[in-house]
Amino acid sequence: MISHPNRHCTVELQALPSRIGQVRRIVSAQLRYWRLDPLIDRAALGVTELLSNVHRHARPDKSCTVELEFRSDRLTVSVRDRDPRLPVVADSAGASDAGPLATCGRGLVMVAAVSESWGCRPDGEDGKVVWFALSATAAPRPPAPKPLRAAERRTEPAPLTVQPPVRAPEPVVVHAPAPEPSVAGR
């Protein structure tokens, strides 16, 4: 018995900075529709990194296809482009782009960090597919609470009202002149 039917979504686009944000929102909305909310952040980050790589490295053009496939509690996100060169993971020891203060060069490392598996493969003679997978084993939802019968209903105490404390009046100190000593025999 299959617990979830096969689900599939494809988006074709030019990997331009303005489009990457739109595709990230499309991926988020699709995962929400499939009730895969716990995967949204990781999937959006992964697809952003893959599309950024297409924008930066793919030749001859920036045309690509993003594909989401959910099957057997596993979401696979793939990006297909028309550049046959397979990506190379930056080695922090040998690549100047992957230094500790670099602003780029860590995309595939981030994809590997947020996913359970990832990879790339040639796609014919003039393209490639880079993909990552996320497990979607859903935590069971807690059952809805049953309505209580009249005998089981608990009476709630009346809500407490808290009033600000009343401050005691400041003591009033009156300085009276000391009584004059009486002289006996006057």
Side-chain angles (χ1 to χ4, degrees):
M1 184 168 129
I2 298 173
S3 60
H4 296 286
N6 186 19
R7 299 173 188 167
H8 189 264
C9 175
T10 304
V11 179
E12 294 181 13
L13 70 140
Q14 291 286 318
L16 303 174
S18 60
R19 296 292 306 205
I20 293 172
Q22 292 172 341
V23 172
R24 187 174 48 243
R25 288 187 293 278
I26 290 168
V27 166
S28 298
Q30 187 65 51
L31 294 181
R32 239 180 256 108
Y33 178 73
W34 288 343
R35 299 186 189 275
L36 297 173
D37 296 45
L39 303 181
I40 291 173
D41 290 340
R42 293 185 298 153
L45 176 63
V47 79
T48 298
E49 293 302 327
L50 295 184
L51 289 175
S52 296
N53 284 349
V54 172
H55 173 70
R56 184 169 185 205
H57 301 290
R59 292 182 183 90
D61 62 26
K62 307 300 180 191
S63 298
C64 64
T65 303
V66 175
E67 187 174 3
L68 305 174
E69 186 172 26
F70 181 64
R71 186 184 328 172
S72 301
D73 292 334
R74 181 179 168 109
L75 176 70
T76 303
V77 179
S78 59
V79 175
R80 174 178 282 110
D81 66 40
R82 295 182 183 159
D83 187 344
R85 298 174 300 153
L86 297 178
V88 177
V89 178
D91 177 16
S92 60
S96 61
D97 283 354
L101 300 176
T103 57
C104 61
R106 292 192 199 98
L108 292 176
V109 173
M110 289 176 64
V111 169
V114 300
S115 66
E116 295 185 0
S117 60
W118 75 277
C120 56
R121 67 180 183 273
D123 185 38
E125 292 182 17
D126 60 349
K128 68 178 169 297
V129 176
V130 182
W131 59 269
F132 64 93
L134 303 170
S135 175
T137 49
R141 292 185 183 179
K146 297 177 186 175
L148 297 175
R149 290 178 270 177
E152 296 175 328
R153 289 192 183 130
R154 297 179 189 156
T155 57
E156 296 293 325
L160 297 175
T161 55
V162 178
Q163 297 182 1
V166 178
R167 293 183 60 174
E170 295 291 325
V172 177
V173 178
V174 177
H175 295 283
E180 290 187 31
S182 62
V183 180
R186 260 195 193 176

